[in-house]
Amino acid sequence: MTARTLNLDDALYQYLLDVSLRETPLLRRLREQTQALPNARWQVAPEQGQFLALLIKLLGARRVLEVGTFTGYSALCMAEALPENGSLICCDIPGDYTATACHYWQAAGVSQRIDLRLGPALETLAQLERSGALGCFDLIFIDADKANYPAYLEAALRLLRVGGLAVFDNTLWSGRVLEVDAESEDTRAIQALNRALKDDSRIDLSLLPLGDGLTLCRKR
Ligand SMILES: C[S@@+](CC[C@H](N)C(=O)[O-])C[C@H]1O[C@@H](n2cnc3c(N)ncnc32)[C@H](O)[C@@H]1O
């Protein structure tokens, strides 16, 4: 018995996947195709994707926003969990990766639920605010440029409804959050976000050691 979170070695991690991962053949194909890319490490872990889908069902979410889509794995997990009338806005910058995402969303029959917006995400979020989407979203998943994480938090808190969830990926940053006087701007931004969230009275908070660290912020 232990009163702290376990360290998972390879065998125990494989066991976790064996007994709980319910990945569809299409998601598996997307994951394997993405794993052949140079930026493969950008993709969420499959158990994170499944957890995001569960969160959507737990919240009864209908309006969801993703910041950082890449080849579309986390978006596909979430879109498949949405009800028929649900919608997912995906933010990314122009590039080759989102064509793969669109292909798989089409193949899964969920592309009509997904609105892909290409451009710097802070601009897309500001545009959503201007169009009257304040307090409209049930869940916002943030998995893009780390230097903007503190700014994404502020935008997310404006765009979420009370009781809605902002979910940040990579909040343990492969352990680099422990660095003192970190040189990387990304590391410093994640450290700043984590420190600020601890005492942020606008949210309820949990940092889960799932994947590279997944922080859940429930808007009060
Ligand atoms: C870690 S990947 C997202 C992984 C994705 N959630 C998945 O599960 O496969 C980060 C993505 O954020 C995008 N990105 C980086 N900076 C951005 C910005 N300023 N605005 C919008 N997207 C950005 C990158 O192009 C990249 O596709």
Side-chain angles (χ1 to χ4, degrees):
M1 294 293 279
T2 172
R4 49 154 289 168
T5 301
L6 281 177
N7 280 327
L8 297 185
D9 63 16
D10 288 352
L12 197 50
Y13 177 60
Q14 190 56 53
Y15 175 81
L16 178 155
L17 297 179
D18 288 346
V19 299
S20 69
L21 187 65
R22 297 177 171 182
E23 195 177 41
T24 63
L26 195 68
L27 274 169
R28 190 190 175 107
R29 267 215 310 283
L30 171 55
R31 184 160 60 85
E32 289 176 350
Q33 182 179 334
T34 305
Q35 285 308 302
L37 298 174
N39 288 322
R41 69 184 191 291
W42 284 0
Q43 193 172 43
V44 294
E47 66 276 18
Q48 287 182 298
Q50 185 168 312
F51 182 65
L52 288 168
L54 181 64
L55 286 178
I56 284 180
K57 293 188 178 181
L58 285 171
L59 281 169
R62 263 194 341 103
R63 297 198 62 182
V64 177
L65 178 60
E66 175 175 82
V67 179
T69 293
F70 190 36
T71 59
Y73 187 93
S74 48
L76 183 51
C77 292
M78 293 192 287
E80 287 187 323
L82 281 169
E84 204 57 51
N85 64 352
S87 69
L88 168 63
I89 296 177
C90 286
C91 305
D92 211 295
I93 45 184
D96 299 335
Y97 297 128
T98 49
T100 303
C102 292
H103 168 80
Y104 278 89
W105 299 340
Q106 192 88 41
V110 296
S111 54
Q112 77 288 352
R113 280 180 214 162
I114 303 180
D115 173 3
L116 174 64
R117 304 210 182 168
L118 296 178
L122 280 177
E123 285 177 21
T124 305
L125 300 184
Q127 199 178 18
L128 284 167
E129 288 186 36
R130 285 196 299 275
S131 69
L134 291 170
C136 281
F137 288 91
D138 301 303
L139 184 145
I140 303 180
F141 177 49
I142 297 154
D143 187 20
D145 47 330
K146 310 307 166 195
N148 276 322
Y149 267 27
Y152 290 138
L153 171 69
E154 295 309 313
L157 288 175
R158 292 189 292 270
L159 289 163
L160 283 170
R161 66 166 166 85
V162 171
L165 213 53
V167 181
F168 287 87
D169 194 20
N170 306 109
T171 48
L172 292 176
W173 204 222
S174 307
R176 280 169 285 165
V177 283
L178 294 178
E179 288 177 12
V180 178
D181 297 328
E183 277 182 22
S184 149
E185 187 190 2
D186 289 348
T187 304
R188 289 199 307 272
I190 293 174
Q191 290 172 327
L193 176 85
N194 287 341
R195 269 194 308 270
L197 290 177
K198 172 87 192 294
D199 297 314
D200 192 327
S201 60
R202 299 171 297 175
I203 56 159
D204 300 305
L205 175 67
S206 186
L207 197 174
L208 301 179
L210 190 67
D212 192 25
L214 201 65
T215 293
L216 272 52
C217 309
R218 178 188 172 276
K219 181 174 168 177
R220 285 180 171 161

